[in-house]
Amino acid sequence: MNRAQMDDNVSRVHEGENIWNLPNVLTMVRLVLVPVFIILVLNGSVGAMWAALVVFIVAAFTDLYDGKIARERGLVTDWGKIWDPIADKALTLGAFVVLSIAGLVPWWFTAIVAARELGITWMRSRLLKRGVVVAANSGGKAKTVSQMFLIVFLLFPWDSVSGVNNALFDVTGLAVARWILIAIALFLTVWSGLQYVIAAVKMKK
């Protein structure tokens, strides 16, 4: 298979590249923030939830800017292509697990997300052994944004906000908004997963 036959997010492995650049360091920071975030959410106090929200937003911004900086400065590496989506998965999947434990998101949703994320990671590892790197595509990025937006919404300590039970945005409104965000994230999670599977099938052919 030559490069022209591959999708834009699929490429051959580059040997001997230097991984120490700003985008990759941001990815490493995101990986370090994952256990900090999980511990804060499991604490469950209002203060810990505010702190978890801040940590998650910081981690999400590292996800936004590491890829942007890498592309603009020509610092895209195979390490980044592999570990950037892994860091995303560790952050979002870890968040959904602890949010399910807290009862803020249904376990069936977390199970679907886990199956999709772990399945795609397994597929990437199999292709990597064949010297093929599969980076995140547009569908995967949209999925990540929708999941992160949902997580921010669920993490926000609404009970601590004065006036949250007013007629404009009462508890019922929050519940409806939660299910709408869950539905959007679920659709993009499944749809983007199918995109990766279709790309893999095309490569085998």
Side-chain angles (χ1 to χ4, degrees):
M1 180 187 302
N2 58 39
R3 192 176 299 274
Q5 293 174 298
M6 295 184 179
D7 291 342
D8 292 339
N9 62 308
V10 180
S11 62
R12 292 293 181 186
V13 171
H14 302 94
E15 301 292 342
E17 64 182 8
N18 180 19
I19 69 170
W20 294 104
N21 57 47
L22 180 57
N24 289 347
V25 169
L26 290 175
T27 298
M28 295 174 193
V29 169
R30 188 158 70 258
L31 285 167
V32 171
L33 289 177
V34 171
V36 176
F37 165 77
I38 290 174
I39 291 171
L40 289 170
V41 175
L42 290 177
N43 179 278
S45 67
V46 174
M49 292 301 286
W50 278 112
L53 180 61
V54 172
V55 169
F56 184 83
I57 291 174
V58 170
F61 270 103
T62 67
D63 176 43
L64 173 65
Y65 284 104
D66 60 0
K68 183 178 180 180
I69 293 171
R71 289 187 296 272
E72 290 180 350
R73 301 185 183 181
L75 299 174
V76 177
T77 63
D78 290 336
W79 190 95
K81 289 180 181 179
I82 295 297
W83 282 98
D84 179 63
I86 289 177
D88 295 342
K89 288 175 174 58
L91 181 63
T92 56
L93 188 54
F96 285 130
V97 169
V98 293
L99 288 170
S100 291
I101 292 173
L104 295 174
V105 69
W107 277 106
W108 59 261
F109 174 83
T110 299
I112 292 174
V113 172
R116 186 270 188 205
E117 305 294 17
L118 297 177
I120 297 303
T121 299
W122 175 82
M123 184 193 76
R124 278 195 173 113
S125 67
R126 296 281 296 181
L127 291 174
L128 186 61
K129 291 179 180 179
R130 298 170 54 186
V132 177
V133 177
V134 180
N137 59 21
S138 57
K141 293 173 183 176
K143 175 269 303 179
T144 299
V145 170
S146 69
Q147 289 181 354
M148 288 185 171
F149 196 86
L150 171 61
I151 292 167
V152 168
F153 179 87
L154 295 174
L155 284 173
F156 194 92
W158 296 102
D159 292 343
S160 68
V161 178
S162 176
V164 74
N165 291 320
N166 61 27
L168 180 64
F169 197 47
D170 59 11
V171 174
T172 302
L174 287 172
V176 171
R178 179 173 74 103
W179 281 109
I180 290 174
L181 292 175
I182 287 175
I184 293 172
L186 179 63
F187 170 77
L188 290 174
T189 296
V190 175
W191 174 67
S192 61
L194 289 175
Q195 283 189 316
Y196 284 114
V197 172
I198 292 171
V201 171
K202 288 181 179 179
M203 289 176 60
K204 287 184 179 181
K205 289 182 180 180

